Amino acid sequence: MRAVKMAPAGGLARRPWVPLALLALLARAALALTERYPALSLLQQERHRQRHGPAGEWAEQYSAECDSSFLHFHESDCDIGGSSACESMLSLNTEKILSQAKLLAEQKRFPFATDNDNTNEELAIAYVLIGNGLYDEAIRHFSTMLQEEPELVSAIYGRGIAYGKKGLHDIKNAELALFELSRVISLEPDHPEVFEQRAEILSPLGRISEALSDLTKAIQLQPSARLYRHRGTLYFISEDYATAHEDFQRSLELNKNQPIAMLYKGLTFFHRGLLKEAIESFKEALKQKADFIDAYKSLGQAYRELGNFDAATESFQKALLLNQNHVQTLQLKGMMLYHHGSLDEALKNFKRCLQLEPYNEVCQYMKGLSHVAMGQFYEGIKAQTKVMLNDPLPGQKASPEYLKVKYLREYSRYLHAHLDTPLTEYNTDIDLPGNFKDHWAKNLPFLIENYEEQPGLQPHIKDVLFQNFESYKPDVQELICVADHLGSMMQYETPGFLPNKRIHRAMGLATLEVMQAVQRTWANSKVRMNGKTRLMQWRDMFDIAVKWRRIADPDQPVLWLDQMPARSLSRGFNNHINLIRGQVINMRYLEYFEKILHFIKDRILVYHGANNPKGLLEVREALEKVHKVEDLLPIMKFNSKTRDGFTVNTKVPSLKDQGKEYDGFTITITGDKVGNILFSVETQTTEERTQLYHAEIDALYKDLTAKGKILILSAELGEVDAVCNLILSLVYYFYNLMPLSRGSSVIAYSVIMGALMASGKEVSGKIPKGKASIEISKYISSLVDFEAMTAPGSEAFSKIARSWMNLKSISPSYKSLPSVSETFPTLRTMIEVLNTDSSHCLKKTIVVV
């Protein structure tokens, strides 16, 4: 090791450059000594800036864990320049602080101490200044020493730290800090703490690869739990969750009692979709630190993503018991409550969040959304406008809330204007401007040429008032409770789907309205749609469910894609789902990976059989070893066209034209190594494809209507069975078409349930959990849309669906329920019933079940 050069002999008494003003400032503080070297804790500052997870929900996770050598000074109540009592206090504090600096020097508890006691005392004073936040004074102190001894390593190092602590928002500070630390490394290349400090300067500047290199060098010199944790944090920020996990694991092996590292280990699981593993890590962090708010918050979010509302609520509540003003927990809990359908409770959390943090865009946006969803448009648009006024600074990326808020405001104005217009007299898909719908559905910035804003709120149209359940007539109360039950039957019992009681009620009412409308149609009655009276078509049947799904959550654009501008439709409108992106696994579709994998392997064999018959045997042998998506990477290299990835298209056989097939969805796999894979499926809705599917659905609906009319007259078992198969076949093509921008799955399932009820059959079985082996199909999973999309044909889908539906004869009591469309004829009445408390339904006996 290079010898540390000494400064000339001399004590503090010989140094007239220790300023009296500085000593006066020092009188406000008392120094506490802890660890050996000071840390800048810039990693946690960077973590605060770079938010991760759904909606940026993981900020402020990383906090200093006693890494700093100096704790903050405590303010003195004494006013400098005040009474004589304060003067004596000043003298006492100055003497005390100088003596502590002397003690620090004697123990050599600062970096690169020398063999000269006087020099060490002078260096110690400068480090005391850093600990007290007096960075300019510390820099001047170090600089004076360096004038006499230019290569005094401790002074160079200390000055670099002081520049860094002054604030990296000023690039000059960052450059000077890096320059000084690099000088130290050139003089003393074997000290890991210097590489660590330089990494903490580099990382907030976005120079992550250089920071990682420095931390790796520090680990090579002297591995420690802290260094592995710091490097893991940078890998985490870089979204390399697998490598980050390895570093956090190594850190915990060196020091198992690290709640911060355990928390971050859990977050690496969370971001890869491994929720159960994440939950175990968060629980372990809480064993180590019982009052760890961030661990409770993260545990709550993991349970929320898993779909476990009760466990998530309990975890968020425990975090708030520790700190009722924890903004992030209030925000996350509020969002969970909104997506659970508990809008009033959600609103309380958003309001509390804004009391504590008035400029929180997420809480402001969600407050506005919650008000609008409940029909409180004046308060809703007021909150939305506040988000719109929060323009991003030049060069700053706009928040998701800022990008969405103008769409929400325009849609809110439209809804308010139509609150009391009969739903049969207007059409949202036709009324809203085409470019507005196109941009909204694609989540594009609101940059629409020649856009004419919706009219402002009209004073004569009042907001929606809360309706007590008891104010409804008994038969309407029964209608609401039956709807709640039917809606709950549509809940996916698989990770990633949080139960939403508001959606349940809306889609339950949609199911009953579909049932009633289909029954009227089969009895030759006409319906009133878009201001016209006519026979109901298949789109009218789905539109019933669409209107309920739209109003249940106005944040999501539920729009017919074929009603988009012609230019947009001609280019194709993609419904895209990432199954694996990098290291992130979409847990919702995990059960389908194996099924899709088998399909891909079959298509690869077909491809090579046609294009590479000589290599077919080699490919077949390689495919036998493929058990997960990552195993396909070596297969790609067998052919130049698939080396960087490939796409596989599914086909949907026609019932109308035997032997004809339509395009289903496209499976894409690209990537060069594990952790750098894109495994996705998408449905491209073009005008030509839409017309083909529409023709198929038209033919099925015509047949369904004819057989439905026969069924009304004759309830023979064969007729009922034929009608059921036609309903499931029709919806099979709807699922594969994916004609809506959002909500296709639950809308289609409510139509299935309603149309089956019209035929005299009721769905009594819930959508099953996970995967089960049965005679019909090796795989049954809980996502009805994916069952339709991966089934080889409509008949196979019908068999799979009927296997869990457990169809039984409908209860006669359904006939006594009032008409849904007549009971809730306007948006106002729809919002009223969705707002109504449903807790008493749990106490009632639903006679139709």
Side-chain angles (χ1 to χ4, degrees):
M1 182 181 290
R2 187 188 300 269
V4 179
K5 296 190 177 181
M6 303 299 138
L12 292 175
R14 296 179 55 194
R15 292 295 182 192
W17 39 262
V18 179
L20 291 175
L22 167 60
L23 297 180
L25 285 170
L26 288 175
R28 293 181 172 217
L31 179 66
L33 303 174
T34 54
E35 293 186 3
R36 184 178 177 189
Y37 298 127
L40 299 177
S41 70
L42 293 172
L43 288 174
Q44 76 234 40
Q45 295 172 22
E46 174 62 12
R47 186 75 198 109
H48 177 70
R49 281 190 289 269
Q50 298 193 28
R51 299 189 173 198
H52 285 264
E57 298 160 350
W58 299 104
E60 294 179 352
Q61 294 284 12
Y62 191 87
S63 59
E65 200 174 36
C66 299
D67 276 352
S68 178
S69 296
F70 303 104
L71 300 180
H72 291 295
F73 289 90
H74 300 284
E75 293 281 346
S76 168
D77 292 330
C78 187
D79 181 18
I80 303 300
S83 65
S84 58
C86 280
E87 290 176 10
S88 62
M89 184 74 168
L90 167 63
S91 175
L92 178 64
N93 282 351
T94 302
E95 184 177 326
K96 182 178 179 181
I97 290 167
L98 292 176
S99 69
Q100 288 177 331
K102 185 174 182 179
L103 179 63
L104 184 68
E106 288 173 354
Q107 296 179 352
K108 296 186 178 180
R109 294 191 65 183
F110 59 88
F112 302 102
T114 73
D115 293 332
N116 186 286
D117 293 341
N118 290 328
T119 301
N120 285 343
E121 286 187 12
E122 293 179 19
L123 288 167
I125 280 191
Y127 281 104
V128 168
L129 297 177
I130 292 175
N132 194 36
L134 302 171
Y135 308 127
D136 287 325
E137 292 292 351
I139 289 167
R140 283 195 287 271
H141 197 124
F142 285 129
S143 296
T144 304
M145 297 184 74
L146 286 167
Q147 286 176 4
E148 297 187 15
E149 188 61 41
E151 293 191 354
L152 183 59
V153 176
S154 186
I156 299 170
Y157 183 72
R159 190 162 67 176
I161 290 175
Y163 278 126
K165 281 187 171 286
K166 277 187 70 175
L168 301 186
H169 55 274
D170 186 341
I171 193 63
K172 290 180 181 178
N173 291 335
E175 290 173 350
L176 288 167
L178 291 173
F179 176 76
E180 300 288 30
L181 293 172
S182 297
R183 282 182 66 199
V184 174
I185 288 171
S186 67
L187 293 168
E188 295 287 341
D190 298 325
H191 285 260
E193 67 273 13
V194 189
F195 287 98
E196 183 182 12
Q197 291 288 2
R198 191 167 70 172
E200 291 192 339
I201 301 292
L202 289 165
S203 59
L205 301 177
R207 297 163 65 174
I208 302 297
S209 61
E210 294 173 75
L212 285 168
S213 178
D214 272 358
L215 287 170
T216 300
K217 179 64 176 177
I219 288 170
Q220 290 170 351
L221 289 168
Q222 187 178 339
S224 71
R226 184 185 71 247
L227 285 171
Y228 277 121
R229 191 178 73 234
H230 283 186
R231 191 174 70 173
T233 305
L234 285 191
Y235 279 125
F236 184 88
I237 290 170
S238 305
E239 298 186 9
D240 187 350
Y241 302 119
T243 308
H245 175 268
E246 292 174 6
D247 270 358
F248 291 127
Q249 187 60 38
R250 289 193 190 104
S251 180
L252 288 163
E253 288 169 2
L254 292 171
N255 178 7
K256 65 179 181 180
N257 188 27
Q258 291 186 88
I260 289 288
M262 187 59 72
L263 171 69
Y264 258 71
K265 177 184 172 183
L267 290 174
T268 64
F269 284 129
F270 178 89
H271 284 279
R272 286 182 287 163
L274 305 173
L275 294 180
K276 293 179 181 177
E277 292 85 347
I279 287 168
E280 289 306 310
S281 295
F282 297 147
K283 287 181 177 178
E284 187 61 36
L286 286 164
K287 287 180 184 177
Q288 297 181 11
K289 183 175 168 58
D291 61 348
F292 198 177
I293 293 177
D294 282 335
Y296 274 122
K297 179 192 71 177
S298 301
L299 183 61
Q301 188 65 355
Y303 276 128
R304 182 248 193 248
E305 290 297 320
L306 201 59
N308 190 333
F309 176 77
D310 292 336
T313 301
E314 182 182 355
S315 297
F316 286 139
Q317 202 55 40
K318 286 179 178 178
L320 291 171
L321 285 173
L322 291 168
N323 180 3
Q324 62 179 352
N325 296 331
H326 198 253
V327 170
Q328 282 185 299
T329 302
L330 289 166
Q331 176 182 310
L332 290 173
K333 184 184 176 188
M335 292 180 73
M336 179 190 71
L337 287 165
Y338 178 87
H339 292 291
H340 180 61
S342 305
L343 272 55
D344 198 36
E345 289 299 311
L347 194 54
K348 293 174 184 176
N349 284 268
F350 297 134
K351 287 179 177 178
R352 180 62 182 152
C353 166
L354 290 167
Q355 287 175 350
L356 298 166
E357 202 172 272
Y359 298 102
N360 186 306
E361 279 192 70
V362 176
C363 289
Q364 192 69 257
Y365 179 88
M366 293 303 298
K367 176 188 173 186
L369 174 61
S370 300
H371 276 303
V372 165
M374 291 191 290
Q376 300 164 6
F377 290 92
Y378 289 91
E379 285 297 321
I381 289 179
K382 188 190 301 181
Q384 294 164 19
T385 303
K386 289 181 180 178
V387 178
M388 289 175 60
L389 295 175
N390 196 16
D391 295 310
L393 298 171
Q396 183 183 19
K397 188 178 179 181
S399 68
E401 289 71 33
Y402 182 83
L403 292 174
K404 291 193 301 180
V405 70
K406 194 159 187 180
Y407 295 108
L408 179 60
R409 188 186 70 164
E410 291 301 289
Y411 187 48
S412 299
R413 288 172 165 177
Y414 173 83
L415 292 176
H416 183 263
H418 291 82
L419 266 179
D420 299 306
T421 306
L423 290 156
T424 55
E425 302 304 311
Y426 65 95
N427 186 314
T428 302
D429 284 281
I430 294 174
D431 293 346
L432 293 176
N435 285 338
F436 174 89
K437 294 187 298 178
D438 185 53
H439 281 62
W440 188 21
K442 293 176 179 176
N443 200 26
L444 298 174
F446 196 101
L447 300 171
I448 304 172
E449 292 183 8
N450 303 318
Y451 177 75
E452 184 176 339
E453 289 188 350
Q454 294 286 329
L457 299 188
Q458 303 299 309
H460 69 279
I461 303 176
K462 303 303 180 184
D463 274 351
V464 176
L465 299 176
F466 275 100
Q467 188 92 342
N468 290 326
F469 182 81
E470 291 75 14
S471 66
Y472 287 110
K473 294 178 180 178
D475 60 343
V476 177
Q477 292 181 18
E478 188 68 23
L479 180 71
I480 295 169
C481 292
V482 170
D484 285 355
H485 166 70
L486 292 173
S488 69
M489 303 285 286
M490 303 179 203
Q491 178 63 39
Y492 286 158
E493 299 290 341
T494 195
F497 291 93
L498 185 74
N500 187 323
K501 59 185 183 182
R502 191 176 179 90
I503 297 288
H504 288 171
R505 177 171 296 178
M507 303 322 294
L509 287 166
T511 296
L512 292 170
E513 189 173 348
V514 167
M515 175 194 74
Q516 294 167 348
V518 171
Q519 285 175 337
R520 288 196 301 272
T521 299
W522 291 349
N524 289 319
S525 296
K526 295 182 179 180
V527 295
R528 181 80 178 172
M529 290 282 181
N530 307 325
K532 296 179 181 178
T533 302
R534 52 177 172 75
L535 291 173
M536 187 171 76
Q537 301 302 310
W538 69 264
R539 190 193 289 261
D540 301 324
M541 182 170 62
F542 283 93
D543 257 331
I544 292 169
V546 166
K547 74 174 181 181
W548 283 103
R549 178 62 182 82
R550 275 178 182 155
I551 204 61
D553 184 4
D555 190 42
Q556 297 185 356
V558 182
L559 302 163
W560 288 97
L561 297 182
D562 67 336
Q563 299 296 312
M564 294 291 179
R567 183 178 60 181
S568 174
L569 194 58
S570 65
R571 290 198 300 262
F573 199 105
N574 293 350
N575 274 305
H576 186 94
I577 300 170
N578 285 329
L579 303 179
I580 300 176
R581 179 180 173 271
Q583 298 174 7
V584 181
I585 299 170
N586 191 332
M587 63 201 148
R588 290 186 169 190
Y589 304 96
L590 200 57
E591 297 285 356
Y592 285 90
F593 282 20
E594 190 173 352
K595 192 172 186 180
I596 294 174
L597 195 58
H598 281 290
F599 177 78
I600 293 170
K601 289 161 73 173
D602 289 341
R603 299 310 300 171
I604 288 174
L605 287 173
V606 171
Y607 173 83
H608 280 276
N611 298 283
N612 182 28
K614 291 182 179 180
L616 183 60
L617 180 61
E618 186 182 6
V619 172
R620 190 185 299 276
E621 290 175 352
L623 284 172
E624 288 175 0
K625 300 175 184 177
V626 171
H627 302 291
K628 54 184 184 297
V629 177
E630 294 90 329
D631 297 341
L632 288 171
L633 294 176
I635 311 294
M636 296 181 187
K637 299 179 174 60
F638 278 99
N639 189 287
S640 59
K641 290 184 178 179
T642 63
R643 185 166 296 152
D644 299 321
F646 57 83
T647 60
V648 178
N649 297 308
T650 65
K651 294 296 180 181
V652 177
S654 169
L655 283 176
K656 182 171 67 73
D657 301 312
Q658 291 297 318
K660 189 175 182 179
E661 291 182 324
Y662 308 132
D663 289 333
F665 65 93
T666 301
I667 305 165
T668 301
I669 299 179
T670 59
D672 53 4
K673 63 177 186 288
V674 175
N676 187 33
I677 295 175
L678 177 63
F679 176 36
S680 63
V681 298
E682 71 176 18
T683 305
Q684 189 173 40
T685 305
T686 60
E687 187 172 7
E688 180 184 2
R689 181 176 179 274
T690 299
Q691 288 175 353
L692 290 170
Y693 273 88
H694 279 193
E696 190 78 27
I697 296 173
D698 282 337
L700 284 166
Y701 183 76
K702 184 178 180 181
D703 198 7
L704 174 63
T705 303
K707 283 189 166 50
K709 289 179 178 180
I710 295 172
L711 185 64
I712 292 291
L713 302 172
S714 171
E716 290 186 14
L717 188 61
E719 295 292 344
V720 174
D721 201 52
V723 167
C724 290
N725 285 333
L726 280 170
I727 292 167
L728 290 168
S729 295
L730 187 152
V731 177
Y732 164 78
Y733 289 101
F734 181 92
Y735 275 127
N736 278 282
L737 174 58
M738 281 290 168
L740 296 165
S741 58
R742 300 281 177 86
S744 292
S745 183
V746 72
I747 285 167
Y749 201 66
S750 63
V751 168
I752 288 176
M753 291 180 65
L756 287 172
M757 289 164 69
S759 74
K761 291 293 182 180
E762 179 184 358
V763 174
S764 64
K766 294 197 73 171
I767 301 169
K769 287 185 179 181
K771 159 173 92 171
S773 179
I774 59 172
E775 293 179 4
I776 304 165
S777 171
K778 186 179 179 182
Y779 303 103
I780 272 197
S781 192
S782 50
L783 307 183
V784 187
D785 51 350
F786 252 57
E787 279 300 333
M789 292 164 67
T790 55
S794 60
E795 185 178 349
F797 170 68
S798 295
K799 287 182 179 178
I800 292 169
R802 292 181 71 159
S803 70
W804 79 66
M805 285 181 173
N806 190 24
L807 296 179
K808 66 178 185 180
S809 296
I810 194 171
S811 168
S813 58
Y814 277 111
K815 294 181 180 179
S816 63
L817 293 174
S819 165
V820 176
S821 60
E822 292 175 9
T823 307
F824 310 112
T826 63
L827 277 177
R828 182 184 298 279
T829 53
M830 289 174 69
I831 295 172
E832 283 174 349
V833 72
L834 294 182
N835 287 344
T836 301
D837 178 36
S838 62
S839 58
H840 43 271
C841 282
L842 301 175
K843 303 171 186 176
K844 292 172 68 73
T845 301
I846 303 174
V847 296
V848 298
V849 179

